[in-house]
Amino acid sequence: MDHFFFKHRLFPYALSILLILACYSFFSGSNAGASGQTVRILITQDGFDPQVTNIETGTTVVWTNSMPMAVELTTQMGYTLYLPLLKNHYTPRQQFVSDFNQPTDQPNHVMFENWAADVYLAPGESFTHTFTKAGEYPMRLGAYSTKRGTVFVQTVSPVVSTTPDAPAATVPPPTPTNTPVPTARSSPTATQTSAATATPVATSTPTSSPTPRNTGDLIIKLDVDVDTDQDFTFTVNDETLKLDNPAEDDKDGLSSQERFLNLSPTEHTITYAQTSGYVFDKATCISNQPNPTVLQSSLTLFVTLRAAEVIECTFFILHDTDGDRLPDAHETNDGSFSSITQTGTDPNDPDTDKDGLYDGDEVLGTEQGLALASMGANPLRKTIFIEYDWYDDSLENEGTCNNDAQGYHTHRPSATMVAMVESVYAGAPVQNPDGSFGIDIIQDYGQGGLFAGGNLIAKNSTGLITGNVNSSAFRAIKATNFSPERRGYFHYAVMAHQYDSLQNFSSGNAEINGDDLIVSLYNYACNDPFTSQTVVHELGHNLGLLHGGNDRQNYKPNYNSVMNYRFQFAGVDTDCDIYGNGVNGYSTGERIQLNEANLQEGEGVCGLGSSGFDWNTDGDTNDTNVRLDVNLDGAIGILNDHNDWGNLYFLGILFDDDRRGIQNENIRPIAIAYEPPVPSVSLTPSEGAPVPITWPTEIRVAPY
């Protein structure tokens, strides 16, 4: 009898004791609950207390909200929505990242069994749930991706009745209940009570099932990278909201925030007003439900709430000392561009490479949507943008142009001509902040893609502009054919047959210190070297160069630049004989000064050691103290070379611009440069290049 009793009555108790001892380590160190017991979890500013709870099946858990604000208690997976970093740099996109990894072998992971929906807990409110199935149950508080907790539920053997033959009683699990506490929507300017000073509210007794919510909550948060008392303005559903980042918040990493509760399930807008000295870096929105709908347009978020959805949007605002739309934290000032968050630019200079284009525009694109970076702009290399529009005409063709079937020839730049211009600036002896040399010239002649601005203006009999770059006729052409978004960024060139009148045979006309130019080579329009040299000449006027470099003394033999009429078509002199050698480019300022009252033939234009030059044409280069008007201006004076490359003026693009305006104290006054008639020159048949030109004495510099 005793043996039978031990075997059939004491063994189950011994086994139970062993099971309890074996599970001791599992329950130690965290909130633990046995079957039939009640375990409490407090919701605080820091999240769940305790964060990990180990219980048995049949245990009831009570969550109590001790914070002074409402929270959403959920077991749904959370999603984070990352918006584009800055407007107009990338195509708008959405990327959803799961905050919880859902194991396929844990069906209870996503939603608590017997839990109908997410639960909205007002301050002091409690929610009760009894777990009947084993598993791992993750929890989170609404949109707070970092406030997570986990309930681990383990199955235990059922308790056996002390009566050997009596079956164990089956008790149905209780229905989850909570006691709702009415809450009102907070005012946009209401100040939230600090959670650190809040007194936990006693747990209420669950008396009813949770009431399904049909409204959503929107949380606006501010994160600023510097300690500041600056107010930052938002507009939320047409209501003005000011958030700040006071010193005490900045030091402990907290951000100012405002909550909008019980909003209707529809689209809501949040607009950030750009603040001087700061820049919007990014917005991150987190939802307590899958696939949130948040769209961005400029600095506005369009947030579509659903029933019981809580979306928290954090605006990350960074300091921008120089106002170029690049945050100081991204301007690494090391002369090396790695990405839009490591630009290598100077945080104290909005135009690091001094090309007239703001660093932010070259990295992010302009505020008007011009994708300068995609076109080739670099904030650490000088960049020039130019658009060509052109005429086709059927005027007399004594040059090298080939007419089409209708007798028209085109003034559209050829790919060869464009490449010639590009090589001139690419080889510039100009050093950039990244240590490289050269200038990038980005030319749009309608080649397609991002370069669709260049276009045919008209196909007519004359190809004539009835005015110069300062005329209403030119302005009308520009208004029709040049996008306003390009004003202040692109130079604008019209390639015409002639301008002013059919009796004007000037090669071009341009603004000095400006952005507009005309190239009018009439019958020589299809000669690529002539056209490229004239483009560089007229663009040089836009870049601040005169026909004498920094003065108006034209035809100087020692000013070795296509800005000089002596070399515009002949090309610069490469062998010190004062005659052009067909090379396109500006002067480096290395030629010696010439005193027309005291010329030294042995020095020529390149100084002692050169081949010299026979100024008085007596057959030798030995004469000294020669007096001669070598630049044909009717005066005897001092002639200087000029370092064109070292003195280019890039701010002319800012002059005629309604959108950007005059932003720099170094803006120069604008003037107009007129070119005289194109000289009659012949071409070398074998090379198609201009031969040396002897300029007639009757040609004089046209007035500016």
Side-chain angles (χ1 to χ4, degrees), residues 280-361:
F280 166 68
D281 179 42
K282 63 182 178 180
T284 301
C285 293
I286 303 173
S287 174
N288 66 321
Q289 296 186 20
N291 303 323
T293 302
V294 181
L295 300 176
Q296 180 188 8
S297 176
S298 183
L299 303 180
T300 300
L301 303 183
F302 300 93
V303 181
T304 301
L305 288 176
R306 294 165 288 182
E309 183 171 18
V310 180
I311 294 183
E312 175 187 289
C313 291
T314 302
F315 285 76
F316 293 88
I317 312 300
L318 302 182
H319 200 217
D320 177 21
T321 300
D322 56 15
D324 62 359
R325 297 191 298 125
L326 292 179
D328 293 355
H330 296 174
E331 296 198 78
T332 51
N333 201 24
D334 57 6
S336 177
F337 181 87
S338 300
S339 67
I340 59 176
T341 58
Q342 292 181 316
T343 63
T345 52
D346 187 345
N348 296 304
D349 188 341
D351 184 11
T352 301
D353 57 10
K354 302 296 189 297
D355 60 1
L357 303 170
Y358 274 11
D359 296 339
D361 291 335

Side-chain angles (χ1 to χ4, degrees), residues 6 22 39 75 81 92 118 141 148 167 187 242 268 378 433 459 570 572 587 638 667 672 693:
F6 175 79
V39 173
T75 61
L81 173 65
D118 296 341
L141 296 182
R148 305 172 182 173
S187 169
K242 287 187 180 294
H268 304 275
N378 185 328
K459 189 171 185 177
V572 298
S587 176
I638 303 297
I667 293 291
I672 306 296
I693 302 170

Side-chain angles (χ1 to χ4, degrees), residues 61 64 98 116 143 163-164 167 201 253 340 368 394 397 419 439 511 536 543 593 608 617 645 686:
V61 177
T64 300
S98 172
T163 304
V201 182
I340 59 176
Q368 291 76 42
S394 59
N397 182 10
I439 298 172
E511 291 177 333
V536 173
L543 299 174
Q593 183 185 81
L608 292 174
T617 66
W645 286 118
S686 61

